[in-house]
Amino acid sequence: MDSSNSLFQSSFAELSLQRIPRAKQQSNPLRAWDAADELLLKHLAEQQLPSNGQKLLIINDSFGALSCSLADYRADYCISHWSDSLISQLACKENLDGNHLEDRIDWVDSISSPSGLFDLVLIKVPKSLALLEHQLITLQPHVTEKTLVIAGGMVKYLQKSYQQLFEQYLGNTTTSLAVKKARLIFAGTEKTTQVAQSPYPQQNHYQEIDLHISQHANVFSRDKLDIGTRFMLQQYQQLPSANSIVDLGCGNGILGIMAKRLQPEARVYFIDESYMAVASAQDNYFNALNLDSQQEQDRQQFMVSHCLEQTPLTAIDLILCNPPFHQSNTVGDQIAWQMFQQSFKALNKQGRLWVIGNRHLDYHNKLKRLFANCKTVASNKKFVILEAVKR
Ligand SMILES: C[S@@+](CC[C@H](N)C(=O)[O-])C[C@H]1O[C@@H](n2cnc3c(N)ncnc32)[C@H](O)[C@@H]1O
């Protein structure tokens, strides 16, 4: 990649930052930061923050622009990094390493709460309002009246409802002027509101498939059955029989759970890069099948992984995949392509990959290039379900 596209400069540091997956060689490759990161760091530098000895919490730092900039070995403040995304954690760690910065960060996943009280909290406003709500509620016992909470986001995604959440759970809120289409939100921490209980995970009952579903805040299609997922389930009478099945990008786990209902002897693995997705899939699996979640062997079926990279899976008979077509707010098929490539490697000879996608995404050509075959299992106006066999 052109180095000018990885060079990130702020008053704190000059860094080379990469995304995961790495940006493609193209005329305008995607950067590992946005104008909201720049604005947050500019504001901190102007205010001479953080001060030495302070405790910092950084929430939803996409690829480490904030954490790496503040990770100077000369500073003696403590940083906690709190995120639902394994990709964000991995990118931040790689960027620390790539810039010869020591990893002294406390890594906290979204299922856990950060520990202790914080002096300064920096939030990259997430795409999901529900995730922000859960994070602000969970944050309440970790801030005092003296804590500074500063959030940053791109104006086009910051609807009024985002600011209202800060008011509701933290206190009076003001905003900055927009700079390069980014804006800051300054949240007071008067704690005028009572400490709230997070409404997540939420419970739903999907009548059409008779499934009780529990979903953490950041899980795909949280309050209804996704129409693509539904169309995939409608084709399950054609599902090839398999001893081992992977639900890749499992979300709440519906695809894998329904496959297990049809093929009770199969061992089903659930993979997602979101901690909340894997936790939801695990709860739903044990509830739906009335299994004992204490069995260590069963728990090994649930893995937080970037595609299949962090898993030991090989010799799989069937992979079910409803791939993401965006990464946070960025649309693209890089992750889908990586899922297909790693599925090809993980499958048995004669193993099958089932993919559902919007018709226009042209997964057919990609699968054909990789597997040298691809057939349409079903299609409607919006979706196509494809099967590729490893020969
Ligand atoms: C379109 S949703 C499908 C969810 C679920 N399988 C369904 O059909 O309802 C795509 C899922 O892929 C997950 N995902 C995105 N990037 C990923 C990656 N790099 N590795 C693993 N999972 C990923 C998302 O968190 C999301 O749960």
Side-chain angles (χ1 to χ4, degrees):
M1 190 170 89
D2 175 2
S3 67
S4 65
N5 266 307
S6 62
L7 185 67
F8 180 63
Q9 284 171 306
S10 71
S11 304
F12 294 92
E14 194 172 298
L15 303 167
S16 167
L17 294 181
Q18 305 287 348
R19 297 169 68 94
I20 289 182
R22 289 258 169 149
K24 281 186 198 162
Q25 300 276 358
Q26 56 193 28
S27 55
N28 185 21
L30 294 166
R31 289 180 161 164
W33 66 92
D34 62 19
D37 293 310
E38 292 173 329
L39 192 57
L40 272 165
L41 291 169
K42 183 167 174 287
H43 176 79
L44 291 185
E46 283 166 2
Q47 300 298 314
Q48 300 187 347
L49 291 168
S51 313
N52 271 342
Q54 283 197 320
K55 264 195 91 185
L56 259 78
L57 175 62
I58 303 181
I59 309 178
N60 310 323
D61 188 13
S62 319
F63 301 102
L66 298 174
S67 312
C68 293
S69 297
L70 298 171
D72 191 319
Y73 66 95
R74 285 162 300 193
D76 75 345
Y77 31 80
C78 316
I79 300 180
S80 297
H81 178 286
W82 191 28
S83 169
D84 182 44
S85 165
L86 176 73
I87 289 185
S88 293
Q89 290 182 339
L90 293 173
C92 189
K93 287 179 190 184
E94 276 188 25
N95 284 323
L96 284 171
D97 194 43
N99 289 283
H100 312 291
L101 292 163
E102 204 185 326
D103 178 355
R104 294 179 295 151
I105 292 180
D106 178 24
W107 302 97
V108 188
D109 67 61
S110 57
I111 300 300
S112 318
S113 300
S115 57
L117 292 172
F118 292 91
D119 301 296
L120 177 61
V121 179
L122 303 179
I123 306 177
K124 278 301 288 298
V125 174
K127 193 173 164 208
S128 153
L129 202 61
L131 176 60
L132 180 65
E133 183 178 27
H134 174 76
Q135 289 174 328
L136 294 180
I137 293 172
T138 312
L139 186 61
Q140 283 185 323
H142 302 283
V143 296
T144 68
E145 285 78 357
K146 290 192 184 137
T147 306
L148 283 175
V149 179
I150 312 171
M154 300 308 290
V155 173
K156 67 176 167 182
Y157 305 120
L158 283 182
Q159 299 125 24
K160 218 168 164 46
S161 38
Y162 283 82
Q163 196 179 332
Q164 282 163 354
L165 282 184
F166 283 93
E167 303 243 346
Q168 185 177 348
Y169 295 115
L170 293 180
N172 280 339
T173 296
T174 55
T175 56
S176 73
L177 292 174
V179 179
K180 289 209 260 172
K181 298 183 182 161
R183 198 189 286 288
L184 300 183
I185 296 175
F186 305 100
T189 45
E190 302 97 350
K191 297 204 178 175
T192 44
T193 51
Q194 280 191 332
V195 173
Q197 273 284 35
S198 175
Y200 310 99
Q202 268 177 353
Q203 317 295 325
N204 288 318
H205 187 254
Y206 295 155
Q207 220 140 13
E208 54 202 296
I209 50 173
D210 188 24
L211 197 60
H212 182 79
I213 284 290
S214 157
Q215 319 214 79
H216 284 275
N218 199 31
V219 178
F220 171 77
S221 196
R222 206 173 24 80
D223 35 24
K224 58 183 185 324
L225 184 58
D226 171 62
I227 48 172
T229 312
R230 176 188 291 130
F231 187 55
M232 181 92 147
L233 293 175
Q234 284 165 354
Q235 317 313 319
Y236 264 28
Q237 70 280 9
Q238 301 181 58
L239 207 63
S241 69
N243 291 322
S244 50
I245 301 176
V246 172
D247 182 347
L248 179 54
C250 61
N252 57 24
I254 285 193
L255 291 179
I257 292 167
M258 295 304 281
K260 175 81 178 174
R261 269 195 182 166
L262 276 178
Q263 302 189 26
E265 300 304 320
R267 187 156 171 77
V268 185
Y269 299 90
F270 296 82
I271 316 295
D272 206 291
E273 74 93 28
S274 150
Y275 286 91
M276 288 190 169
V278 174
S280 304
Q282 181 165 334
D283 289 347
N284 293 330
Y285 176 87
F286 288 114
N287 279 339
L289 301 161
N290 261 331
L291 294 171
D292 176 6
S293 63
Q294 297 314 313
Q295 285 175 21
E296 188 62 31
Q297 213 195 354
D298 286 336
R299 276 196 277 136
Q300 285 166 5
Q301 292 167 238
F302 303 89
M303 290 174 256
V304 181
S305 170
H306 168 31
C307 301
L308 293 168
E309 229 163 77
Q310 281 71 35
T311 78
L313 296 174
T314 53
I316 297 297
D317 296 325
L318 176 62
I319 297 181
L320 305 169
C321 187
N322 179 5
F325 48 90
H326 57 77
Q327 186 175 15
S328 196
N329 290 311
T330 309
V331 175
D333 62 5
Q334 242 185 307
I335 290 180
W337 178 233
Q338 198 164 334
M339 284 180 164
F340 301 163
Q341 285 176 307
Q342 293 183 357
S343 293
F344 182 79
K345 278 198 195 141
L347 283 168
N348 248 332
K349 270 242 155 98
Q350 296 309 315
R352 284 151 206 266
L353 170 62
W354 267 39
V355 172
I356 177 158
N358 279 61
R359 294 183 78 96
H360 71 269
L361 288 171
D362 200 23
Y363 289 152
H364 188 273
N365 275 329
K366 284 200 156 51
L367 291 173
K368 215 160 175 192
R369 216 177 330 143
L370 200 57
F371 287 78
N373 68 84
C374 178
K375 84 169 190 196
T376 301
V377 176
S379 68
N380 64 15
K381 271 194 195 150
K382 203 164 161 38
F383 296 105
V384 58
I385 296 174
L386 303 167
E387 179 187 86
V389 185
K390 181 166 171 180
R391 299 236 159 86

